[in-house]
Amino acid sequence: MGMMSGGITEYEHEPVRGLPGDLPAGEHIVWQGSPDWRTFLRSALHSRWIVGYFAVLGIWGLASGSMFAIGASVAACALTLGLLAAFAVAVEKTTVYTLTNRRIVLRIGVALNKCINLPLKLIGSAELRRLALGHGDIALLPIGKHGLGYAVLWPHARPWKLSQVQPMLRAVPEAAKVASLLAEACASLVPVDQVQPERQERPAFRPALVPVRMEEAAA
């Protein structure tokens, strides 16, 4: 769960934080970050909907005059939110998103940690979903098949995209800035002198970063 006996973290073996090995020659880190657990709790775990659900149960109990129903609703709500908050904190502590000039690496997993490498040349586009306080989710739309399963990526996967799984950077601080860095890194993969004159205005791998406001169910 992110901690081993004797207080030694299971990530101390990492030669570079968030990466499974040393960076090869010519590769460098552009950005690193982790989800903000409060934003993650609201946007990925739908804490507000859960509070609303238990509030309805409490109102129903109040209307029926059942103090037991009211108390049970409050207790269940507190317990559920406590468990979800603990999970959100664990996600923040165990997750590292790394953008280099060649790839995106997702070090994820609360119980079973793993590192997922996604070369920038395989990213066809990306979509930025803006959240509160400058945070946001960045969905990555790979080109072709990548073999990543939804269950393996969750909760770092775009909701409801089961047939075409899309990795997602969740609850990222300064999301618009990170999206710009991603676009620049992808665009830099194509040297200017290799781009045909008539297509120089549109580098081949620059993601179409489209700010969108959408419900998770429709994402």
Side-chain angles (χ1 to χ4, degrees):
M1 298 292 289
M3 205 73 174
M4 299 179 67
S5 60
I8 301 175
T9 65
E10 60 190 280
Y11 301 114
E12 286 189 355
H13 68 280
E14 292 178 332
V16 180
R17 177 177 178 267
L19 299 176
D22 292 318
L23 291 172
E27 184 175 9
H28 62 270
I29 294 176
V30 176
W31 169 86
Q32 275 192 330
S34 301
D36 175 77
W37 75 267
R38 296 175 183 83
T39 304
F40 181 87
L41 179 64
R42 292 191 301 268
S43 62
L45 302 181
H46 310 290
S47 59
R48 290 176 177 172
W49 286 97
I50 291 173
V51 171
Y53 170 77
F54 284 109
V56 171
L57 293 182
I59 293 173
W60 176 83
L62 180 63
S64 62
S66 173
M67 296 304 297
F68 174 79
I70 297 174
S73 298
V74 172
C77 182
L79 177 61
T80 303
L81 287 180
L83 292 174
L84 291 179
F87 177 70
V89 170
V91 169
E92 179 184 72
K93 291 183 177 297
T94 57
T95 300
V96 178
Y97 301 133
T98 302
L99 169 65
T100 77
N101 58 320
R102 294 181 179 175
R103 56 180 164 155
I104 290 181
V105 181
L106 285 72
R107 188 249 268 166
I108 60 176
V110 174
L112 300 174
N113 58 85
K114 60 188 77 69
C115 278
I116 296 174
N117 288 277
L118 185 62
L120 296 183
K121 64 182 180 180
L122 297 182
I123 300 177
S125 62
E127 290 185 1
L128 169 63
R129 176 176 180 259
R130 298 180 184 274
L131 303 171
L133 302 176
H135 296 82
D137 296 333
I138 301 176
L140 309 174
L141 285 64
I143 299 173
K145 296 182 179 180
H146 49 70
L148 297 175
Y150 191 90
V152 173
L153 281 171
W154 189 89
H156 311 275
R158 190 170 183 175
W160 310 113
K161 298 295 182 179
L162 302 179
S163 60
Q164 187 178 6
V165 179
Q166 299 174 11
M168 176 177 274
L169 310 186
R170 284 281 198 174
V172 175
E174 298 184 313
K177 177 181 177 181
V178 177
S180 296
L181 291 174
L182 172 60
E184 292 171 4
C186 290
S188 68
L189 292 179
V190 183
V192 175
D193 58 357
Q194 292 184 12
V195 181
Q196 297 179 4
E198 64 272 15
R199 302 193 63 176
Q200 286 185 358
E201 296 180 357
R202 294 185 298 171
F205 298 119
R206 180 183 294 275
L209 292 166
V210 183
V212 291
R213 296 180 181 275
M214 54 187 174
E215 297 294 333
E216 290 283 288

